[in-house]
Amino acid sequence: MTSVDGDNQHPLRETARLAVDAAGGAGLRDALHEPGAWLRAGKLVAFPTETVYGLGANALDEEAVRAVFAAKRRPSFNPLIVHVDSLARAGDVVRAIPETAYRLAAAFWPGPLTMVLPRSAAVPDVVTGGLDTVGVRAPSHPVARALISAAGVPIAAPSANLFTQVSPTTAQHVLDHLDGRIDAVVDGGATDVGIESTVVAVEGDGPLVLLRDGGISREELQQHGFEVAAPAGDEDAGAARRSPGRIARHYAPGLPLIEVARGRDGALKLPAAAQSFALLARGDARGAEGASTTEVLPTDVAGFTSGLYAAMHRFAASDCEVVYVEALPERPEWRAVADRLRRAGLGR
Ligand code: AMP
Ligand code: MG
């Protein structure tokens, strides 16, 4: 630690990049032995999950968790999700596990579902933003699973990006934001789901309270027999109160996003006085010739979601002045993506 960067006196350090083969089976355990030990010892290690890359720290080590907030420049009222390898291991950080949580874990873990449960005394306040609850999830990505088990401690991990910016779906995205601010990144290739986990509060036998749309849709929760309630109050304000991290500006590429529709002929209809623009479309880019950066994502929701943040990172790095975004279908399965694009600035 020899230098500091100007904005917040954050000490710069060497960030190790460790490439691993996500399909590595038993070899993965060996490869992650050392980063697991670093985590246990209080260092910051970014790693892939099936949703986005997380910036991990030992959840039981207050100082390590504080360092996560500093590296991301994230305000400390915003709670972190604690990553575990099973509901049994969640027992280290939660006080009580209601029956509903067992059924949720059986249906959706490992996977992109975070449960907000009563916290145990072992969890430092800084992890939960002082709340009496803690968010826990068991990720399904083989690298995340092997790393959590190598660390042998629960891992608190927000997305591995600077606060309010686009979440990382590759190790390079992590380094673009956090090189010199964290100890290591484990490179396991591009993530699959591409947006963050769904967050639900589990309150005894009551309905689940949906705090954030994400990798698992409300409909999937309902199809598995779970009752899903919106947070009390206006849905967005209610969720923000219950889940302080749901601030409006988030996931933002730092450019205006403007929605565009297609005409009857199926071509995109762009505003006449087009500046230097980028385009985010589904399926094809007809009608939008002349874009400086064109991102055509798949028309299915999973394919689109998986590619969305990588496209946003490219927009952020381009020199365009505005991004035209093809309007999304108004169907329930598109809700999580619509939520992220709105927080990134679409329609504001
Ligand atoms: P991320 O932004 O992906 O790091 O996910 C963290 C988000 O999960 C927070 O910003 C909250 O919205 C939510 N969350 C985590 N822990 C809790 C908790 N104890 N209570 C309510 N929401 C939580
Ligand atoms: Mg985040």
Side-chain angles (χ1 to χ4, degrees):
M1 294 199 202
T2 49
S3 54
V4 288
D5 64 1
D7 59 80
N8 66 350
Q9 302 291 299
H10 192 277
L12 291 177
R13 53 189 134 180
E14 190 91 27
T15 300
R17 181 178 190 154
L18 184 84
V20 297
D21 176 5
L28 209 43
R29 283 204 71 130
D30 294 339
L32 294 171
H33 182 79
E34 203 177 3
W38 292 340
L39 278 169
R40 206 162 48 244
K43 293 193 184 291
L44 305 190
V45 179
F47 61 96
T49 78
E50 71 278 23
T51 59
V52 302
Y53 271 70
L55 176 56
N58 179 350
L60 305 177
D61 180 338
E62 178 174 347
E63 212 175 310
V65 176
R66 283 195 191 288
V68 168
F69 285 91
K72 280 186 58 106
R73 302 189 190 125
R74 173 161 164 146
S76 57
F77 61 79
N78 193 342
L80 304 185
I81 292 169
V82 175
H83 294 70
V84 294
D85 51 15
S86 66
L87 195 53
R89 286 308 297 270
D92 295 344
V93 293
V94 306
R95 191 163 69 229
I97 304 181
E99 172 63 26
T100 307
Y102 285 103
R103 291 197 291 118
L104 276 173
F108 297 107
W109 277 15
L113 180 77
T114 297
M115 299 187 214
V116 170
L117 293 166
R119 68 186 270 203
S120 82
V123 183
D125 273 345
V126 59
V127 172
T128 68
L131 297 171
D132 192 37
T133 52
V134 60
V136 288
R137 113 173 164 92
S140 66
H141 196 291
V143 172
R145 293 176 66 71
L147 182 62
I148 294 164
S149 103
V153 289
I155 305 298
S159 52
N161 54 285
L162 291 173
F163 182 60
T164 77
Q165 301 196 10
V166 183
S167 296
T169 56
T170 66
Q172 189 56 50
H173 295 155
V174 175
L175 291 170
D176 290 347
H177 284 176
L178 299 177
D179 196 10
R181 304 176 70 85
I182 63 176
D183 296 295
V185 55
V186 178
D187 183 351
T191 63
D192 178 29
V193 176
I195 63 168
E196 296 78 1
S197 60
T198 299
V199 180
V200 293
V202 183
E203 297 170 348
D205 301 332
L208 305 176
V209 180
L210 185 70
L211 298 176
R212 177 173 77 182
D213 284 304
I216 288 176
S217 68
R218 298 176 201 207
E219 289 68 31
E220 281 172 87
L221 291 164
Q222 287 161 343
Q223 278 155 18
H224 279 78
F226 295 97
E227 210 186 317
V228 181
D234 150 46
E235 181 151 351
D236 221 42
R241 191 160 38 72
R242 299 281 301 278
S243 191
R246 277 183 55 118
I247 39 170
R249 193 185 126 81
H250 217 138
Y251 317 106
L255 290 166
L257 305 184
I258 295 175
E259 192 167 78
V260 296
R262 290 189 189 257
R264 278 174 196 283
D265 59 355
L268 289 157
K269 291 188 301 189
L270 304 191
Q275 326 154 50
S276 141
F277 67 97
L279 177 77
L280 179 62
R282 287 178 295 112
D284 69 81
R286 265 182 309 138
E289 294 74 21
S292 64
T293 307
T294 301
E295 296 287 343
V296 177
L297 296 180
T299 53
D300 69 289
V301 67
F304 186 94
T305 308
S306 180
L308 176 63
Y309 286 166
M312 301 278 255
H313 281 280
R314 284 190 287 270
F315 296 144
S318 78
D319 51 12
C320 65
E321 290 159 45
V322 57
V323 183
Y324 293 132
V325 179
E326 181 180 351
L328 298 178
E330 287 192 18
R331 284 200 297 273
E333 63 271 26
W334 287 87
R335 202 152 30 204
V337 173
D339 170 81
R340 298 307 189 277
L341 282 172
R342 191 163 46 80
R343 286 172 207 282
L346 188 65
R348 262 192 275 137

